[in-house]
Amino acid sequence: MSAKTILITGASGGIGAALARRYAHAGITLLLWGRDETRLMQTAAQCRALGAECITALFDIRVLDDMEERLVAQDAATPIDLAIFNAGLGGSVAKDDICETPQRARATAEVNFVAPVIGANVMAQAMAGRGGGQIVLVGSIAESFPLPMAPTYAATKAGLAMFAEALSIRMARQKVRVTLVSPGFVDTAMSRGVPEAKPFLMTADAAAAILVRRIARGDRRIVVPWQFSVIRAAAGLLPRALVRWVLGRA
Ligand SMILES: NC(=O)c1ccc[n+]([C@@H]2O[C@H](COP(=O)([O-])OP(=O)(O)OC[C@H]3O[C@@H](n4cnc5c(N)ncnc54)[C@H](OP(=O)(O)O)[C@@H]3O)[C@@H](O)[C@H]2O)c1
């Protein structure tokens, strides 16, 4: 499908900003969401220079009722063809901490799971009403691994992956396509905060180039960089006890 109006959450940096720049062309309206005003305006300025019309919104998606109302109002004003729920909160538990704080766990769950699930349901309803559209949920390859250094993060992404697959089956008859994106390591502010080794690290721009092409093709699952789909498949062949042992020593 060729989308004219595209929503991108988390467009103030990293993968979201790179996607916005890739989609920016004359005739495209970009709805760019984020919290950091300076960085969001910078993304918008770059996209306008490439010919796109940009409508920005600065707010915290953890204020869930506000997010839902904004999405409904925005879609009524400018029907969205492609909604990319990309905003995410990373972060490993510090080595010396026993576990995550309840506050951090809650924030991670709200940003990575609750907000995109609410948003995707709003969009699925609206898109079904007009005969189609596409929803993209940005998860993580962490969805496949019980990461002891980031238990809530891994759990939110596993939940999002299950949600994306279930929603894609449910919405198929309504011609609403649902795509799950599972990045490995992409060089952004989030991954720079990860102290562990980052194999196959790729730039946000290189990742965005692949994503734009494969989202347009309507792929249901996209792993970037591709090497992580091999790692995941190989890990899936190992006994779970061995995976737990390896992760426990990471
Ligand atoms: N980079 C990687 O290696 C990697 C790997 C796997 C998955 N991912 C996933 O890819 C997505 C994008 O991550 P990234 O690497 O581009 O990270 P990033 O550079 O840290 O960007 C995260 C974006 O999410 C937004 N955001 C976070 N909390 C928010 C909130 N409460 N309300 C509104 N916006 C919020 C940020 O907005 P502000 O900056 O304006 O607050 C920012 O635009 C995430 O879902 C992440 O889990 C990334």
Side-chain angles (χ1 to χ4, degrees), residues 10 12 14-15 35-36 39 60-61 86 88 139 153 157 183-184 186 188:
S12 48
I15 297 171
R35 282 180 310 182
D36 184 286
R39 284 190 282 105
D60 188 334
I61 55 170
N86 159 78
Y153 182 80
K157 296 299 188 177
V186 179
T188 67

Side-chain angles (χ1 to χ4, degrees), residues 7-238:
L7 166 74
I8 304 175
T9 72
S12 48
I15 297 171
L19 280 172
R21 289 189 292 269
R22 283 272 158 188
Y23 279 117
H25 292 294
I28 299 291
T29 300
L30 293 172
L31 311 172
L32 304 175
W33 289 6
R35 282 180 310 182
D36 184 286
E37 185 169 10
T38 309
R39 284 190 282 105
L40 190 69
M41 293 313 152
Q42 195 179 12
T43 305
Q46 291 165 340
C47 293
R48 286 188 185 110
L50 292 163
E53 189 188 326
C54 295
I55 300 172
T56 55
L58 284 163
F59 68 101
D60 188 334
I61 55 170
R62 288 185 62 199
V63 186
L64 298 163
D65 289 342
D66 179 44
M67 186 211 64
E68 185 179 340
E69 279 168 27
R70 282 173 186 268
L71 190 52
V72 170
Q74 182 62 75
D75 185 69
T78 322
I80 297 167
D81 304 306
L82 170 61
I84 304 179
F85 295 98
N86 159 78
L89 197 56
S92 310
V93 190
K95 239 186 171 163
D96 297 333
D97 292 346
I98 292 182
C99 63
E100 293 160 294
T101 63
Q103 293 78 8
R104 182 69 189 183
R106 181 178 172 150
T108 306
E110 288 177 347
V111 175
N112 292 0
F113 183 75
V114 186
V117 164
I118 291 174
N121 275 299
V122 169
M123 287 317 309
Q125 183 77 38
M127 287 172 173
R130 49 181 176 262
Q134 191 173 5
I135 297 167
V136 176
L137 294 153
V138 179
S140 166
I141 198 70
E143 72 212 9
S144 303
F145 298 96
L147 300 178
M149 61 294 272
T152 307
Y153 182 80
T156 59
K157 296 299 188 177
L160 197 66
M162 180 62 80
F163 170 75
E165 187 165 16
L167 189 70
S168 78
I169 299 167
R170 184 170 185 90
M171 299 310 296
R173 260 192 243 148
Q174 271 83 24
K175 309 227 172 326
V176 177
R177 193 83 181 163
V178 180
T179 296
L180 174 70
V181 171
S182 306
F185 289 114
V186 179
D187 188 20
T188 67
M190 184 184 291
S191 64
R192 279 173 224 133
V194 174
E196 290 84 14
K198 283 164 264 186
F200 310 113
L201 183 72
M202 74 192 308
T203 65
D205 196 45
I210 295 166
L211 295 181
V212 166
R213 181 169 48 78
R214 295 194 51 190
I215 289 169
R217 211 162 72 178
D219 287 5
R220 258 196 297 275
R221 299 192 76 173
I222 308 173
V223 176
V224 280
W226 64 267
Q227 287 90 339
F228 276 90
S229 47
V230 178
I231 292 171
R232 172 162 63 190
L237 299 173
L238 299 175

